[in-house]
């Protein structure tokens, strides 16, 4: 216990050191592969999309990890596609990142391995998986859950039986002190298929439907045995561009099939390089709808925060609500391309994030991230992986740089929520997925 506590404080002093130098602790998301075996309608990497799939080689990823360790990147995520399709190599890479002392190593799965729970060897296989992961310093493992209704989730993913399999697997993971997080991507099916209308009719009804859906969702994952949860904000394409996006989708296997693997994205007037987005109405929301969705989530989270550790910071939701209500100055700009980066599976190139695909920064191991010239203040999307820490840690950075300006620019409600989140995060051991709480 004492040793763990000591280790944590060393980790956090490491993480806080860059702030004193005007930086946020670095984060790198490696899209290890875009191969996937699921059918998610909200994603352009689903297995039915026809395009040439890729996976980064072990050697390439090791070079990236070497460079990340050298540049003192604090958080490293392996994403997909479905990274667990290459499980043995993935575990080796996690082990390598552990050896290189990257403090926050994360990965996730769509859960396909858990849909085989009827097999005789299932329990043995999950023990074996948990044991292998437990030997690494993997800090967080997420498992995607799209809906409070098991059938809806399984149909969306194309993974029959997966919910029961996860329920069986969770206590086994816990035995090895691995506490996976349920990862919800906000969509209109959270409360079950067809429960939330395709277009907002009445603002109050829409808010109420989402509030009920979020409540059902948290209740559902707690009953499943999860002890942690995260929410991915919707990557919407604006209404006026959705039609264009849909036609691109039909014409070029949206999100992947173009010559250069860039995902055409009418939302930013640029190109996505990460295909986990879609023009589908299931995940597309107007700004007015987003305000209601974020309000519903913000009003739901406090009710469940003591029962399950919830990553989503209230201050981030508060800022997004204000941004989509027209007060954009209130949210802190995203650190994508400044302290946070994304490497794609096809070419192994670096981008400011998965959504600014026109800004190819080349190989990560040839970059000196400190010396990058362009430092754009960006709020172009709601990718929570980058927006949430930018908001939270960005506030600390502003506090060090110019505390007077910060106090003047932020509302008292913003400051109250920021403090409340910090206390909560501290009580949750900053979401250490190797601790029960
Ligand atoms: S959301 Fe994930 S699991 Fe689903 S199709 Fe996309 S990459 Fe695959
Ligand atoms: S807000 Fe962040 S993640 Fe989104 S496009 Fe801008 S830099 Fe990228």
């Amino acid at each position: 216990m004492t040793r763990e506590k000591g280790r944590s404080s060393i980790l956090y002093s490491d993480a806080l050191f860059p702030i004193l130098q005007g930086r946020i602790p670095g984060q790198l998301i490696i899209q290890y592969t875009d191969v996937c075996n699921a059918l998610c309608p909200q994603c352009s990497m689903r297995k039915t999309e026809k395009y040439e799939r890729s996976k980064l080689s072990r050697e390439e990823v090791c070079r990236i990890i070497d460079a990340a360790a050298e540049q003192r990147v604090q958080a490293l995520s392996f994403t997909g596609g479905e990274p667990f399709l290459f499980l043995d190599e993935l575990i080796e890479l996690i082990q390598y990142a552990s050896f290189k002392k990257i403090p926050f190593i994360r990965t996730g799965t769509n859960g396909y391995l858990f849909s085989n729970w009827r097999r005789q060897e299932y329990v043995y296989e999950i023990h074996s998986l948990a044991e292998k992961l437990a030997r690494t310093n993997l800090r967080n493992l997420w498992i995607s859950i799209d809906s409070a209704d098991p059938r809806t989730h399984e149909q969306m993913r194309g993974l029959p039986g997966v919910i029961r399999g996860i329920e069986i697997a969770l206590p086994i993971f816990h035995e090895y002190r691995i506490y996976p997080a349920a990862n919800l991507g906000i969509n209109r099916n959270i409360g079950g298929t067809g429960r939330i209308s395709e277009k907002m009719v009445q603002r109050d009804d829409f808010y109420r439907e989402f509030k009920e859906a979020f409540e059902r969702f948290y209740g559902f994952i707690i009953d499943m045995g999860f002890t942690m949860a995260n929410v991915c904000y919707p990557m919407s394409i604006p209404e006026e561009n959705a039609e264009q996006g849909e036609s691109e989708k039909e014409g070029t296997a949206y999100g992947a099939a173009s010559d250069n693997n860039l995902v055409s994205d009418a939302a930013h007037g640029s190109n996505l390089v990460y295909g986990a987005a879609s023009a589908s109405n299931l995940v597309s929301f107007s700004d007015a709808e987003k305000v209601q969705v974020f309000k519903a989530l913000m009003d739901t989270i406090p009710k469940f925060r003591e029962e399950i550790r919830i990553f989503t910071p209230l201050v981030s939701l508060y800022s997004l609500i204000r941004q989509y209500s027209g007060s954009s100055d209130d949210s802190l700009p995203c650190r994508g391309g400044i302290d946070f980066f994304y490497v794609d599976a096809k070419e192994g190139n670096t981008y400011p994030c998965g959504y600014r695909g026109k800004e190819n920064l080349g190989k990560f191991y040839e970059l000196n991230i400190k010396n990058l010239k362009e430092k754009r203040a960006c709020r172009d999307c709601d990718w929570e992986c980058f927006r949430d820490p930018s908001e939270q840690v960005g506030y600390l950075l502003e506090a060090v740089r110019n505390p007077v300006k910060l106090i003047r620019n932020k509302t008292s409600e913003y400051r109250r929520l920021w403090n409340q989140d910090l206390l909560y995060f501290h009580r949750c051991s900053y979401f250490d997925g190797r601790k029960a709480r």
Side-chain angles (χ1 to χ4, degrees):
M1 192 68 178
T2 319
R3 193 176 65 83
E4 274 186 0
K5 214 172 163 194
R7 187 171 160 267
S8 287
S9 44
I10 290 166
L11 282 183
Y12 291 110
S13 63
D14 266 10
L16 290 175
F17 183 67
I19 290 169
L20 301 173
Q21 301 179 311
R23 308 290 304 238
I24 279 185
Q27 182 184 180
L28 181 63
I29 296 187
I30 300 175
Q31 187 193 30
Y32 173 48
T33 181
D34 59 13
V35 179
C36 192
N37 54 355
L39 285 173
C40 313
Q42 70 274 31
C43 177
S44 54
M45 290 182 282
R46 61 192 161 202
K47 70 176 176 188
T48 45
E49 298 287 344
K50 301 271 181 282
Y51 64 98
E52 197 185 326
R53 306 279 173 160
S54 311
K55 181 185 84 63
L56 295 175
S57 71
R58 179 200 323 236
E59 294 69 31
E60 185 71 3
V61 179
C62 287
R63 282 188 81 179
I64 296 168
I65 293 171
D66 287 342
E70 223 168 90
Q71 303 208 47
R72 302 191 68 161
V73 166
Q74 298 290 303
L76 186 76
S77 303
F78 297 99
T79 188
E82 172 50 40
F84 274 50
L85 286 171
F86 306 95
L87 190 57
D88 290 342
E89 192 174 284
L90 176 69
I91 290 174
E92 277 179 39
L93 292 170
I94 293 169
Q95 192 65 62
Y96 188 68
S98 311
F99 169 69
K100 287 286 175 175
K101 299 198 168 23
I102 306 275
F104 300 90
I105 307 168
R106 305 163 182 158
T107 193
T109 176
N110 61 28
Y112 80 96
L113 281 175
F114 309 121
S115 46
N116 290 326
W117 62 272
R118 286 189 180 82
R119 281 155 49 92
Q120 230 176 2
E121 312 82 10
Y122 179 72
V123 168
Y124 167 79
E125 285 168 357
I126 299 300
H127 272 280
S128 165
L129 170 63
E131 193 180 0
K132 283 182 199 160
L133 289 173
R135 279 198 227 114
T136 71
N137 287 352
L138 180 71
R139 193 173 193 271
N140 292 101
L141 170 66
W142 69 85
I143 302 173
S144 301
I145 306 284
D146 295 329
S147 177
D149 174 49
R151 188 182 295 181
T152 301
H153 171 75
E154 291 175 3
Q155 275 174 356
M156 283 173 71
R157 294 265 153 184
L159 298 173
V162 70
I163 291 292
R164 181 69 197 123
I166 295 170
E167 286 171 337
I168 297 169
L170 285 174
I172 302 175
F173 278 115
H174 295 174
E175 275 181 46
Y176 293 86
R177 300 180 67 77
I178 293 177
Y179 297 88
N183 196 43
L184 167 71
I186 292 179
N187 67 82
R188 290 176 200 263
N189 283 345
I190 298 171
T193 313
R195 285 180 61 96
I196 296 176
S197 68
E198 291 206 344
K199 289 272 173 282
M200 180 169 76
V201 186
Q202 290 290 333
R203 186 166 294 184
D204 289 349
D205 291 348
F206 190 80
Y207 166 87
R208 203 181 46 252
E209 289 284 358
F210 258 100
K211 177 99 173 14
E212 280 173 20
F214 285 130
E215 287 181 0
R216 280 190 68 197
F217 180 80
Y218 284 118
F220 174 64
I221 58 171
I222 290 167
D223 289 347
M224 282 182 74
F226 279 104
T227 65
M228 255 198 295
N230 183 43
V231 173
C232 299
Y233 309 139
M235 301 305 301
S236 304
I237 290 176
E239 210 171 313
E240 64 270 24
N241 294 323
E243 212 174 292
Q244 184 189 341
E246 282 295 343
S247 61
E248 282 162 358
K249 178 180 168 184
E250 283 158 20
T252 65
Y254 180 68
S258 57
D259 290 345
N260 54 6
N261 197 35
L262 293 182
V263 180
S264 174
D265 174 26
H268 310 145
S270 68
N271 287 303
L272 296 171
V273 73
Y274 182 40
S278 167
S280 162
N281 187 259
L282 196 58
V283 287
S284 290
F285 297 89
S286 67
D287 287 1
E289 286 177 328
K290 281 187 202 174
V291 169
Q292 299 309 315
V293 172
F294 291 138
K295 272 187 184 163
L297 182 58
M298 192 172 172
D299 292 345
T300 306
I301 286 174
K303 186 172 164 189
F304 292 92
R305 265 187 163 182
E306 297 311 312
E307 284 183 81
I308 184 166
R309 290 171 286 175
I310 301 176
F311 289 158
T312 311
L314 297 176
V315 74
S316 214
L317 294 170
Y318 173 81
S319 289
L320 287 167
I321 291 166
R322 285 178 62 89
Q323 178 182 327
Y324 286 107
S325 308
S327 315
S328 64
D329 284 343
D330 212 53
S331 65
L332 289 169
C334 181
R335 306 295 293 186
I338 303 171
D339 297 306
F340 303 162
F341 298 90
Y342 171 87
V343 171
D344 78 315
K346 187 173 174 66
E347 307 281 357
N349 285 326
T350 315
Y351 295 85
C353 62
Y355 299 90
R356 284 165 53 186
K358 279 185 176 169
E359 298 168 58
N360 185 345
L361 303 169
K363 300 294 176 195
F364 189 77
Y365 41 80
E366 287 165 3
L367 265 183
N368 184 340
I369 54 179
K370 274 195 207 147
N371 293 342
L372 280 175
K373 293 255 171 342
E374 204 210 334
K375 307 215 183 292
R376 174 148 89 82
C378 184
R379 296 179 181 88
D380 288 357
C381 82
D382 308 331
W383 202 23
E384 95 300 336
C385 299
F386 283 11
R387 289 299 299 267
D388 285 353
S390 297
E391 195 70 55
Q392 288 193 289
V393 194
Y395 183 85
L396 275 181
L397 194 64
E398 296 295 314
V400 170
R401 274 184 186 154
N402 195 341
V404 178
K405 186 175 161 215
L406 185 72
I407 290 171
R408 223 179 23 233
N409 285 355
K410 295 291 170 205
T411 64
S412 56
E413 182 62 359
Y414 183 103
R415 293 197 300 273
R416 186 186 73 78
L417 291 169
W418 192 89
N419 288 330
Q420 190 180 323
D421 285 335
L422 183 66
L423 288 174
Y424 177 70
F425 279 35
H426 188 68
R427 279 196 288 122
C428 294
S429 310
Y430 299 90
F431 306 102
D432 189 339
R434 304 302 288 267
K435 289 183 180 168
R437 181 81 202 187

